[in-house]
Amino acid sequence: SLDPENKELSAKVFETAEALFADGPSTVIGIDIPIGLPDTAPRKCDAPLHALLKDKWNPALRAPPMRAALDPSFTYKAACDANEKQCGKRLSQQSYAILPKIHEVDELLQSSANLRKRVYEVHPEVSFHYWNGEKPMQYSKKSGFGFLERYKLVEKEFPGAVLQIREAHPRSAVADDDILDAIAVAWTARRIHMKENECIPEGVPERDEMGLPMQILA
């Protein structure tokens, strides 16, 4: 979490979205989970990412699943079949692995008007793009060079924060690049709070059949 006034960072690891949403009186919560899921056509907010990030290896470019694929009882094949039936595309194993998290967030936001007012979809790589002067990162975050270029941005804004968080949480709980991603999301959450954020796409967002906005903030 990030105090918007004094830039003080603190870190916790949450096992569920419900626990995260219930932790404290945060005005704004950013999450790297799709909010607003398509029924057939791709979301309009995802298409601009290809031109914005110019990087095919980037996980932020993976389209979110169709809501029809979220059934918790689905095997990988069943989820792929449901997704393909809706949009003609199957899911990667990585996408399938996070379906429970997507389903949890989707259910929580549908059931709470209060959460819908303060939980926003944020992609760390999109945040880093704007943090980096609207220039995409040169290297994958999983590479040494990629970690370093992101670390330099974070260290300049929040000196010592990465090392403090690393010392407080074992690698079995959170990877090095996940710490950078979380700070990038917090950086955007502060911008949302200060009404200084960017919206993709700009203007009034489209909404899914449940009324959830389909928009990425940075």
Side-chain angles (χ1 to χ4, degrees), residues 81-96:
D81 289 346
N83 207 73
E84 187 174 33
K85 183 178 180 180
Q86 294 298 109
C87 69
K89 295 183 179 180
R90 300 181 73 77
L91 300 171
S92 67
Q93 287 281 2
Q94 185 175 4
S95 294
Y96 175 70

Side-chain angles (χ1 to χ4, degrees), residues 102-171:
I102 297 174
H103 181 260
E104 182 191 10
V105 169
D106 187 54
E107 291 284 303
L108 288 170
L109 292 183
Q110 285 186 49
S111 64
S112 173
N114 178 264
L115 286 178
R116 292 195 294 273
K117 294 177 182 178
R118 62 193 187 100
V119 178
Y120 299 88
E121 179 178 350
V122 178
H123 277 302
E125 288 302 294
V126 178
S127 296
F128 277 124
H129 170 90
Y130 285 100
W131 199 343
N132 194 40
E134 297 190 37
K135 295 182 294 184
M137 297 289 100
Q138 290 184 284
Y139 305 100
S140 165
K141 71 175 187 176
K142 294 295 185 181
S143 71
F145 287 135
F147 179 87
L148 183 60
E149 64 178 341
R150 290 163 180 78
Y151 175 79
K152 286 181 177 179
L153 281 175
V154 172
E155 184 65 13
K156 184 177 180 180
E157 184 82 3
F158 307 107
V162 176
L163 293 180
Q164 290 175 7
I165 295 171
R166 176 71 289 159
E167 292 173 357
H169 300 280
R171 283 183 171 80

Side-chain angles (χ1 to χ4, degrees), residues 2-216:
L2 171 60
D3 187 309
E5 302 302 329
N6 60 22
K7 297 186 179 181
E8 183 177 346
L9 276 169
S10 60
K12 294 181 181 180
V13 176
F14 298 93
E15 294 296 328
T16 66
E18 184 176 15
L20 168 63
F21 296 164
D23 183 67
S26 298
T27 304
V28 173
I29 298 175
I31 55 171
D32 183 17
I33 291 288
I35 294 174
L37 299 173
D39 302 307
T40 52
R43 305 189 309 173
K44 293 179 181 178
C45 62
D46 294 311
L49 300 189
H50 292 271
L52 188 71
L53 301 180
K54 299 180 178 65
D55 209 335
K56 293 183 178 179
W57 50 257
N58 202 301
L61 300 182
R62 297 192 182 101
M66 301 287 119
R67 179 171 278 109
L70 292 188
D71 190 318
S73 68
F74 279 172
T75 62
Y76 174 60
K77 181 180 182 305
C80 282
D81 289 346
N83 207 73
E84 187 174 33
K85 183 178 180 180
Q86 294 298 109
C87 69
K89 295 183 179 180
R90 300 181 73 77
L91 300 171
S92 67
Q93 287 281 2
Q94 185 175 4
S95 294
Y96 175 70
I98 65 171
L99 286 187
K101 293 182 179 180
I102 297 174
H103 181 260
E104 182 191 10
V105 169
D106 187 54
E107 291 284 303
L108 288 170
L109 292 183
Q110 285 186 49
S111 64
S112 173
N114 178 264
L115 286 178
R116 292 195 294 273
K117 294 177 182 178
R118 62 193 187 100
V119 178
Y120 299 88
E121 179 178 350
V122 178
H123 277 302
E125 288 302 294
V126 178
S127 296
F128 277 124
H129 170 90
Y130 285 100
W131 199 343
N132 194 40
E134 297 190 37
K135 295 182 294 184
M137 297 289 100
Q138 290 184 284
Y139 305 100
S140 165
K141 71 175 187 176
K142 294 295 185 181
S143 71
F145 287 135
F147 179 87
L148 183 60
E149 64 178 341
R150 290 163 180 78
Y151 175 79
K152 286 181 177 179
L153 281 175
V154 172
E155 184 65 13
K156 184 177 180 180
E157 184 82 3
F158 307 107
V162 176
L163 293 180
Q164 290 175 7
I165 295 171
R166 176 71 289 159
E167 292 173 357
H169 300 280
R171 283 183 171 80
S172 58
V174 58
D176 290 344
D177 60 292
D178 290 333
I179 293 174
L180 297 183
D181 282 353
I183 294 175
V185 171
W187 178 83
T188 289
R190 183 182 67 185
R191 281 161 58 88
I192 297 170
H193 175 76
M194 303 297 290
K195 302 187 186 303
E196 298 172 348
N197 63 283
E198 302 287 341
C199 298
I200 302 173
E202 295 181 355
V204 179
E206 63 175 339
R207 294 182 179 271
D208 68 9
E209 66 173 353
M210 300 300 177
L212 301 182
M214 295 187 279
Q215 188 175 55
I216 296 165

